[in-house]
Amino acid sequence: MTTSVDRPQTDAERTVSVTVNGVPREATVPVRRVLSDLLRDDLGLTGTHVGCAHGVCGSCTVMVDGDPVRSCLVLAVQVQGASVTTVEGLAREDERGGQVLHPVQEAFRECHALQCGYCTPGFLVTIAAGLEARDAAEEISEEEVDELVGGNLCRCTGYANIKKAVRHAAATMRDGQ
Ligand code: FES
Ligand code: FES
């Protein structure tokens, strides 16, 4: 099913069609609208947080065709035809229609890897993308863990528990193979 935001299209606007969390979506937006605003304001997916709006903090990270990107730095028109995954799309449905958390979400809960949670969606998406891109059978190294969390900022938890959660999620993904 395609859901659309029905607005007249002017010269300074474009209609963007994009698959978000597996659902085809469409919105007519100003050509300068950034992806984070498209997701939050036009499509109502407020799980993606905007911290700095300058590409520094990583809280706005989403996956575009599987790669983590800072949605505050990407124009909405640039994702035309792409597949976007936000934090709302990390959990999957089980056979009874219930939600099964992504191993990274489960690990954050287990390891107390968040406090206020503002940075959390960005960390979850960044780490999920990184772990999904690597060979799960390989033991994760401390260098890999540092690299996975090093581009995102958290002002309250501290990184020890976030790194613990990365190791925990990597182990879950290895054992779940
Ligand atoms: S809000 Fe995008 S990197 Fe900070
Ligand atoms: S948990 Fe508060 S900013 Fe990271």
Side-chain angles (χ1 to χ4, degrees):
M1 184 185 72
T2 299
T3 52
S4 63
V5 176
D6 219 5
R7 296 211 325 249
Q9 185 164 353
T10 70
D11 283 350
E13 292 184 329
R14 291 289 180 277
T15 297
V16 179
S17 302
V18 58
T19 300
V20 184
N21 301 329
V23 180
R25 305 292 301 265
E26 200 170 271
T28 298
V29 297
V31 291
R32 296 179 66 171
R33 173 88 85 237
V34 290
L35 176 56
S36 50
D37 289 344
L38 172 80
L39 293 168
R40 291 179 53 84
D41 300 337
D42 298 294
L43 302 183
L45 293 165
T46 53
T48 298
H49 290 171
V50 177
C52 65
H54 289 295
V56 176
C57 72
S59 65
C60 66
T61 304
V62 300
M63 288 184 222
V64 175
D65 293 332
D67 293 327
V69 303
R70 301 195 167 204
S71 61
C72 70
L73 294 184
V74 175
L75 292 172
V77 294
Q78 291 178 281
V79 299
Q80 167 63 33
S83 177
V84 173
T85 303
T86 68
V87 69
E88 290 94 340
L90 289 183
R92 62 175 174 80
E93 263 192 18
D94 65 17
E95 54 283 351
R96 293 180 176 174
Q99 293 253 299
V100 179
L101 292 180
H102 189 284
V104 178
Q105 292 173 304
E106 198 61 67
F108 265 58
R109 187 166 73 176
E110 280 290 314
C111 301
H112 308 290
L114 67 146
Q115 285 187 49
C116 79
Y118 200 85
C119 68
T120 308
F123 271 103
L124 290 173
V125 173
T126 304
I127 295 165
L131 292 181
E132 284 168 14
R134 67 185 293 280
D135 180 359
E138 293 279 330
E139 192 80 32
I140 195 161
S141 68
E142 280 310 298
E143 289 74 27
E144 279 182 281
V145 174
D146 285 344
E147 197 167 319
L148 274 177
V149 305
N152 290 51
L153 300 179
C154 173
R155 293 195 299 182
C156 50
T157 298
Y159 297 87
N161 282 4
I162 294 175
K163 289 167 66 173
K164 196 168 152 190
V166 175
R167 290 184 215 104
H168 190 293
T172 303
M173 290 168 81
R174 182 194 60 216
D175 296 344
Q177 284 193 107

